[in-house]
Amino acid sequence: MNAANLSQCLGLRQTPAANRLISAMNERAEGGSPLEAARQALLEAKSRLEAHRDERIEQALDGYRALRSRQTSYEEGLRLQEQQRNDFQALTSRRDALSEQLSAARADCEAYAASGTALDINQYNRLSQRAGALESELSSACRGISALVEQANRCTASQRQYSDYLERTGQGGYAAFAYREAAEYSEANFASETAGMMERMRTGAEQWRERVSSYCAQYGRTPYGFECYLLERQTLGDAYGAARQRLAELLYAAERAAPREQSQPPDGEQRTAPAPRANFDTVELGGDRQMDA
């Protein structure tokens, strides 16, 4: 199988490192056996992955992830509150505009009916239908506002329960604690309560951002440096995984082809001994470089 088709056949992730690896496989395959090229590519991918590993940073990753999860919790809470505020403002503005339009439409309908002139039934129907459509839109906007209030109360209740759990288990610093001070939401206080919650979330996110930066500085890196390290490790890991898949694919294909090569020759032809399976190039996937004898 050509290495260019490997990612599609095996469902591998398309990453720059994996693509470079596949390109290297193809180049080597032109001058030697695909099996040997795959073996060399796997060893090189493993070497790059091991060379990237920084034991000091690896030991700090658990702490970094824990701190980042707290920061992320507040940042996501802030985005949720901002979205709820924007939706509420849009719906209330829409409701107010529809209320004015509906009042005007009803007034037009009533004025036409009381004009004392002969009614044009088509004109009257158009005015009535206009009023009916506005009533439907207004009802929809009101339902949307009620749904937002109910959603905010459900979220607040669940976060209060979560904060109780965190406290019982000795955990702290999560955005759930910010919801303990939230009052019951209603249409009247929705905007003010949301604004207060946004401020608490913003403050919490900033505090944890500073803690993350301070933690990273202990290891001579910034949060951006930690993220770059994790991204590169993931990229090299994907390339290593692709190389392992490639070698496994070729070994499997070779094993399937072996019985056909060992089949009996036609009468009159010289019999040759089948190639032993140990002649296939292999590599120890989880350890040091190794070739079967």
Side-chain angles (χ1 to χ4, degrees), residues 15 17 45 49 52 231-244:
T15 65
L49 181 60
H52 173 70
L231 179 60
E232 182 65 13
R233 188 176 72 165
Q234 179 64 47
T235 300
L236 294 173
D238 288 344
Y240 179 57
R244 293 182 60 168

Side-chain angles (χ1 to χ4, degrees), residues 56-71 174 208 211-216 218-219 226-227 230:
R56 189 162 182 262
I57 300 302
E58 289 289 333
Q59 294 174 4
L61 286 180
D62 286 344
Y64 172 75
R65 290 191 179 102
L67 293 172
R68 279 285 292 140
S69 70
R70 288 156 171 78
Q71 176 187 340
Y174 285 94
W208 283 106
R211 295 177 189 180
V212 170
S213 296
S214 177
Y215 180 83
C216 294
Q218 298 175 25
Y219 296 89
F226 265 81
E227 292 298 324
L230 287 170

Side-chain angles (χ1 to χ4, degrees), residues 40-55:
Q40 292 296 330
L42 175 58
L43 294 175
E44 291 176 10
K46 181 182 178 182
S47 176
R48 286 194 295 270
L49 181 60
E50 292 174 345
H52 173 70
R53 185 178 180 85
D54 186 326
E55 290 298 334

Side-chain angles (χ1 to χ4, degrees), residues 84 146-160 183-186 189-190:
Q84 289 182 337
S146 298
L148 274 178
V149 174
E150 293 175 4
Q151 176 185 353
N153 281 320
R154 286 196 301 271
C155 180
T156 300
S158 65
Q159 289 297 319
R160 286 197 187 100
E184 188 78 9
Y185 282 81
S186 66
N189 71 2
F190 191 93

Side-chain angles (χ1 to χ4, degrees), residues 63-64 66-75 171-175 177 200-215 223:
Y64 172 75
L67 293 172
R68 279 285 292 140
S69 70
R70 288 156 171 78
Q71 176 187 340
T72 300
S73 180
Y74 278 94
E75 291 172 345
Q171 303 180 61
Y174 285 94
F177 289 102
R200 288 192 288 271
M201 294 292 180
R202 189 175 291 108
T203 300
E206 182 59 34
Q207 289 173 344
W208 283 106
R209 189 177 298 110
E210 292 174 357
R211 295 177 189 180
V212 170
S213 296
S214 177
Y215 180 83

